[in-house]
Each structure stands twice: as structure tokens, then as C-alpha cells.
Amino acid sequence: MEKLIVHGGQPLKGRVTISGSKNSALPILAATLLTKDTCTIRRVPDLSDTNYMVRILGELGAEVERASGVVVVTANKIKSKAPYDLVRKMRASICVLGPLTGRLRKASVSLPGGCIIGDRPVDLHLRGLEALGASVQVEGGDILVSATRANFKGRTLNLMGKHGSTVLGTDNIMMAATLAKGTTIIEGAAAEPEVEDLANFLIKMGAKIEGAGTNRITIEGVKELHGAEHTVIPDRIEAGTFLVAGAMIGDGVTLKQVIPEHLRAVTTALADCGFKMEITKDSITIYPNPNARGFSLTTHPYPGFPTDMQAQFCALACVIPDSSTITETIFPQRFMHIAEMKRMGAQMTLQGATAHIRGGTPLKSAPVMASDLRASATLVLAGLIAEGQTEIHRLYHIDRGYEHLDDKFAALGAKMERTKE
Ligand code: EPU
């Protein structure tokens, strides 16, 4: 196991190129199972999560080659059972369920277990597959889906849950429906850019999909899909994390190869605090502001303020000499970073699903423990502004979702190094 040592207080300046989106790449890789032909996916970030997905595709029988951001998959003959040992390591492996059901009318995938950010059920995924006519059972910890050619049919269904729609649930049903008979209409669909990116890839494969990127997606089933090439969109959450770093301790940080539209909720929140940004069609530069104002934010599904940026904004609130609040509505228990940041002297309290932060008190380094992915990135942000050396343990959480995070920060002038525990 590795840990990261962050030497605080070094201002960040310069340019950073944003990687391909983890949350786009994972379902897009899974979608290659929908065809026997070869698919080429570019700008796949080098992460442990994408490595797991590549291994799952291999275990399912696909031939996979991977070289510097390009993954080539040929899923000529595939099996319907995803191996428990790999699936249990990554919740997002649930997104092979839709493609396996669409192509084979049969799937067996382990039910994902609990997760540090909350309960994370998959009932909406299963309800969606049942609405399409599949029979779904859970046996021995596995989700077993089966359907026949005749009864797997397009329907109108609704994927809205009590915390909003479901991103991977929408992905799963959209993928399965591409090969169902007739027309599927997904009401209450997730409108995240990653869902739209997946739809764009499926359309290149021959799928007939309209409305992706809105809350109503229409899919007209086709007999088969063919191979296609696709480049994954930039990672808006990685970009948002660097923007927050630039606001906290930057002296002019430029993000390159981003889609600013996907970051609008984040850039609006930063602008409301008083941070100046220059935005072009594919770059954003952020400047510091010692007189920034506190904020009051609530997470919502896209285009609202993303839950995946909630933790990073808690770190930002620490440098703004004002009071801020942030309320989590998607994963109300996603506050593991609070206790760790308090160890560094952060003035934070949690009331229900709302964090209250009193900024302006300097943070001091302490050994801290990474928990979920975004909480871990937040500890790096806290380390960047803290006095002394912050040791972040369980670094593997960061490697799940940030491509070469330490190298990218080092290129901006941060001082940090990885060492063995
Ligand atoms: N939900 C249900 N039933 C379901 C599915 C979801 O009640 O069947 C609830 C969840 O418990 C949650 C809400 O619906 O309250 C939204 O969950 P969603 O299904 O949208 O989450 P997900 O698809 O499993 C993706 C991202 C997450 C991101 C969420 C929300 C991937 C691989 N993961 O998860 O990303 O937080 O959408 O935007 O795309 C991350 O990258 O750090 C991360 C956790």
C-alpha cells in the first residue's frame, strides 16, 4: 500500500490537461459487449477502475488490447456470468448487466455490496429490466436476469428514485433497450453528460436513440449493433477538483481540454464566491481572490451542483474567511472527509446532511485516511493549504478515479511524493 505526503503552502501555477472521464469510460467499455465487432475507445483514463473493467471484459470472453489511453475490444463470443472476485471490487461493474441482457438475454452479475458513501441500491436498474420483460432474481448474492427474444420488448418506464434519477441505471436500461424489440421510453432518465456520451457511442454502433442528455430518452430497438470508434469526453469532476485547487492556492491555473458547459454549476458556484475565471471553448483559467465570499450549496442531479464536487467544496470553504454550508441530497451520508479534515483543524460541523464550515482558520498537517474517491481528493486539497506535511493513507482510493493526480499537481508546482506505507 502507498501513502501520499503533501508539503503544504506551495502556490499552484500553470496548465493541466484534463483526462478522459472515468464515469463515461466505464459504461462505454461495458457497451462494447453489445457487438461481436471490434470497438476502439480513445482517451480512456489510466485508473484502477478502468483496469477492473478491462479485466471484467476479458473474463467475460472479450479480447482486449490497451495502449496509452486506447482500448480495443472485440467481444466475439461472450459469457453471461461476471466473476464475483472482480465485480465486488468496483460498484460500477453493475453496468455490464444491461449489455449482457441486451445481447444474450441472460446475465449473472454479483449484487454490489455496501459502499462508504451510502447504501447505493440497484432496485431501479432491476425494475427497469423487469419493465422490459426480463425476469430478475437475486440468488446467492447474484443478480440473475433472463428473458426470451419474444418477451424482451420496449416499454415506457420511469427511473426516478427518491434521490433523483440513476446514472448507471439509465446507462444499463439504455444499453439493454438498444437490442430489445420495439420502442423504449425512459422517463426520469439521468441527464448527466456521461449518459449522453454513452448514447453517442451507442448511436455510432448503430443504435437509434433520441433525447440523451435530457430526462426523457427514446430508444428504438435494432437487430444488432456494429463496431465503432469513440473518444471519451473530458472528466468534469477531475476538472472541477483542479479548479477548486486553483481557487484555494492558485496563482493562475489553466485547465486544458475541458468542456466548460459540463462544468457550469461548478464555475457558477466559484464565480458566486468571487473567483475570476477566463473561459474559452475548451479551457478554463482560475485566479485566486483573498476576499472570496462564503457559499450555500445543495447537490442535485445534472445540471445541478454535482455530489462528486461536494467534498472538494468543503475544502474550499476552509480558505474563505466566512461561513459556508453545503447540503448533500444524492448520497446523504457522503461526509467521510469531515472527520478527517477536523483532524487538520477545520472548523466543520455536520447537521443531518448539511455541513457547516467556518473558514479562515489555517489548517495544520496531520496523518489522515482516504475513504471514498472524492473525499480522498479533498484531503489532497486540504494538504496543499495546510502548514507542514500531510500524510494521506490508503492512496488506492485516489488511483481509482484520478489519473496521475500527484504528477499533475507536481507539474503545477505542488510538492508531494508517494511512498510505501
Ligand atoms: N439509487 C436508488 N436505486 C437505484 C440506483 C440509485 O435508489 O437503483 C439512488 C442512489 O442511492 C442515489 C441516487 O439514486 O441516492 C443516485 O445514484 P446513481 O444511481 O445515479 O449513482 P451511480 O450511477 O451508482 C454515478 C457515478 C457516481 C456519482 C453518481 C451520482 C459512475 C461510475 N458513478 O453513480 O460517481 O456520484 O452517479 O452522480 O458513474 C464518483 O465518481 O466518485 C462517483 C461516486
Side-chain angles (χ1 to χ4, degrees):
M1 241 193 270
E2 288 180 319
K3 66 181 174 190
L4 187 68
I5 301 174
V6 182
H7 305 260
Q10 308 291 322
L12 307 178
K13 192 175 170 69
R15 294 153 155 239
V16 56
T17 301
I18 297 306
S19 301
S21 159
K22 164 180 85 79
N23 291 348
S24 266
L26 293 172
I28 286 173
L29 288 171
T32 62
L33 294 170
L34 284 161
T35 178
K36 292 179 172 162
D37 295 348
T38 299
C39 294
T40 303
I41 315 299
R42 302 183 194 283
R43 206 179 182 185
V44 175
D46 180 16
L47 306 168
S48 54
D49 271 14
T50 55
N51 287 337
Y52 283 133
M53 185 53 83
V54 161
R55 283 173 63 193
I56 291 169
L57 297 180
E59 291 285 336
L60 285 168
E63 281 169 32
V64 192
E65 285 167 37
R66 181 174 196 168
S68 61
V70 182
V71 180
V72 180
V73 186
T74 311
N76 185 13
K77 279 203 176 129
I78 53 167
K79 296 180 273 194
S80 62
K81 186 170 169 52
Y84 171 70
D85 258 9
L86 277 175
V87 168
R88 76 185 165 85
K89 294 192 173 133
M90 180 179 69
R91 273 194 54 85
S93 6
I94 190 73
C95 62
V96 299
L97 194 63
L100 291 177
T101 308
R103 171 132 169 228
L104 304 174
R105 301 294 196 255
K106 209 170 129 187
S108 164
V109 179
S110 293
L111 189 65
C115 163
I116 196 91
I117 69 176
D119 180 22
R120 303 194 72 181
V122 291
D123 56 309
L124 297 168
H125 302 231
L126 307 189
R127 203 169 83 191
L129 290 173
E130 278 176 337
L132 295 180
S135 118
V136 178
Q137 285 170 341
V138 178
E139 260 178 45
D142 292 331
I143 304 166
L144 307 175
V145 183
S146 64
T148 61
R149 295 268 148 212
N151 70 11
F152 197 63
K153 287 192 193 142
R155 300 272 154 78
T156 297
L157 54 97
N158 196 315
L159 288 182
M160 190 55 74
K162 70 173 180 203
H163 297 295
S165 188
T166 162
V167 174
L168 291 178
T170 303
D171 289 345
N172 257 331
I173 303 309
M174 185 165 69
M175 288 190 275
T178 57
L179 295 177
K181 213 167 157 195
T183 304
T184 300
I185 299 176
I186 308 178
E187 307 274 10
E192 270 66 6
E194 295 76 18
V195 176
E196 194 177 356
D197 198 27
L198 170 65
N200 288 336
F201 173 56
L202 294 169
I203 291 167
K204 289 179 189 167
M205 295 172 81
K208 294 191 174 157
I209 302 175
E210 280 176 14
T214 74
N215 297 119
R216 189 173 197 266
I217 304 179
T218 305
I219 306 120
E220 206 188 302
V222 295
K223 280 223 166 74
E224 57 180 17
L225 296 177
H226 51 73
E229 289 198 22
H230 188 73
T231 302
V232 171
I233 57 169
D235 195 309
R236 65 191 167 103
I237 307 301
E238 185 202 7
T241 305
F242 277 101
L243 274 182
V244 170
M248 288 172 71
I249 188 162
D251 186 15
V253 170
T254 300
L255 317 188
K256 294 195 303 175
Q257 296 185 24
V258 289
I259 300 178
E261 175 62 25
H262 293 171
L263 281 147
R264 176 132 352 137
V266 173
T267 50
T268 301
L270 289 166
D272 288 348
C273 295
F275 294 103
K276 293 265 176 299
M277 280 162 282
E278 280 162 14
I279 302 181
T280 71
K281 80 176 194 330
D282 60 0
S283 76
I284 307 177
T285 303
I286 186 156
Y287 299 97
N289 178 1
N291 302 315
R293 299 175 289 275
F295 56 81
S296 178
L297 285 169
T298 300
T299 63
H300 288 294
Y302 189 84
F305 184 82
T307 171
D308 293 342
M309 286 300 302
Q310 176 260 111
Q312 299 88 320
F313 267 67
C314 286
L316 174 66
C318 293
V319 297
I320 300 178
D322 215 342
S323 291
S324 296
T325 63
I326 187 155
T327 301
E328 177 59 69
T329 67
I330 314 282
F331 298 113
Q333 297 164 45
R334 192 180 201 179
F335 283 108
M336 294 300 287
H337 43 287
I338 300 273
E340 295 302 304
M341 288 182 66
K342 278 165 101 169
R343 289 172 45 74
M344 299 175 71
Q347 304 290 305
M348 296 177 165
T349 52
L350 194 56
Q351 268 181 322
T354 301
H356 298 264
I357 304 126
R358 201 148 42 79
T361 309
L363 298 189
K364 292 210 166 70
S365 59
V368 285
M369 201 73 90
S371 52
D372 84 273
L373 173 58
R374 309 303 169 187
S376 315
T378 297
L379 296 179
V380 178
L381 296 176
L384 288 173
I385 55 161
E387 282 168 27
Q389 292 182 20
T390 300
E391 280 189 12
I392 303 169
H393 297 267
R394 297 195 193 155
L395 198 51
Y396 58 89
H397 285 289
I398 293 181
D399 295 333
R400 287 193 40 218
Y402 285 93
E403 190 177 45
H404 314 311
L405 186 81
D406 37 339
D407 294 340
K408 288 187 179 187
F409 270 126
L412 290 174
K415 262 183 84 185
M416 51 180 78
E417 71 251 355
R418 270 173 197 258
T419 58
K420 293 259 176 268
E421 287 279 11

